[in-house]
Amino acid sequence: EVKTITLAEREYILASRELFHPETMKGKSCPTLLENSFLSAFMQEYFLAHDIDITQVSSITPVCVNEQDIVYKIRSGEIEFGPCPAFQASEYDLVGPVIGCISIDLMIREEDIASDQMKRIIDLLSSDEWKDTVCLIPGYSSKRSGQISSFP
């Protein structure tokens, strides 16, 4: 069996040039995303959680194929909001609510988890020093740093 140890999480936001309230999204434009992509799932979950009717939001075509394309279209005014990594949004002064996270994990065999080397790594990842360092990086979270999980 394989175990995962979480190093940090990359946060994704619903980025815009200015902060908006969910109730004001009617009529605003967003990107058309690849079907079944994690960006699409994050955005759909946000819409559901805030009772936003997706039919009230206009999607542009063609499909935005990557996060940089979304950021470019927000900055150029082609769209008003879209999902992207928080660290990337911060580089361009884009703002918005966190809509999801992607875990950055270390994978290890279960039999190696009890080794002295792995114990030191786990202790480091669970330390306040590590968590404080991660929090200094825009768009990253240390909430789950050091957490051990089983990988299916």
Side-chain angles (χ1 to χ4, degrees):
E1 187 166 314
V2 174
K3 296 287 186 179
T4 62
I5 305 167
T6 301
L7 305 176
E9 291 182 307
R10 177 180 293 151
E11 296 176 326
Y12 284 77
I13 69 169
L14 197 55
S16 180
R17 287 183 288 171
E18 55 187 52
L19 202 53
F20 57 84
H21 210 268
E23 293 87 36
T24 64
M25 293 180 74
K26 182 178 178 180
K28 294 200 184 295
S29 58
C30 68
T32 298
L33 301 169
L34 293 172
E35 206 170 308
N36 300 322
S37 69
F38 73 94
L39 291 176
S40 178
F42 285 165
M43 198 161 71
Q44 288 174 9
E45 287 174 23
Y46 180 82
F47 286 173
L48 286 172
H50 291 87
D51 295 322
I52 298 167
D53 182 355
I54 188 71
T55 63
Q56 303 277 318
V57 177
S58 59
S59 296
I60 61 132
T61 54
V63 170
C64 287
V65 294
N66 61 44
E67 297 151 356
Q68 188 60 40
D69 191 25
I70 294 169
V71 169
Y72 172 79
K73 287 180 177 171
I74 293 169
R75 293 182 66 222
S76 70
E78 290 179 59
I79 58 175
E80 293 171 271
F81 68 90
C84 72
F87 78 88
Q88 193 173 31
S90 71
E91 291 177 10
Y92 298 104
D93 296 323
L94 301 177
V95 295
V98 174
I99 60 171
C101 294
I102 298 290
S103 185
I104 302 167
D105 297 322
L106 173 64
M107 298 178 82
I108 186 166
R109 295 179 308 184
E110 184 174 26
E111 59 267 21
D112 295 331
I113 202 85
S115 72
D116 289 339
Q117 295 92 339
M118 288 311 305
K119 286 179 184 177
R120 285 196 296 272
I121 289 172
I122 294 165
D123 287 345
L124 169 69
L125 295 174
S126 302
S127 73
D128 288 340
E129 181 181 359
W130 172 261
K131 291 180 179 192
D132 290 345
T133 301
V134 170
C135 289
L136 293 174
I137 306 168
Y140 285 82
S141 168
S142 63
K143 288 180 224 167
R144 294 185 49 234
S145 292
Q147 181 176 320
I148 301 170
S149 304
S150 294
F151 191 75

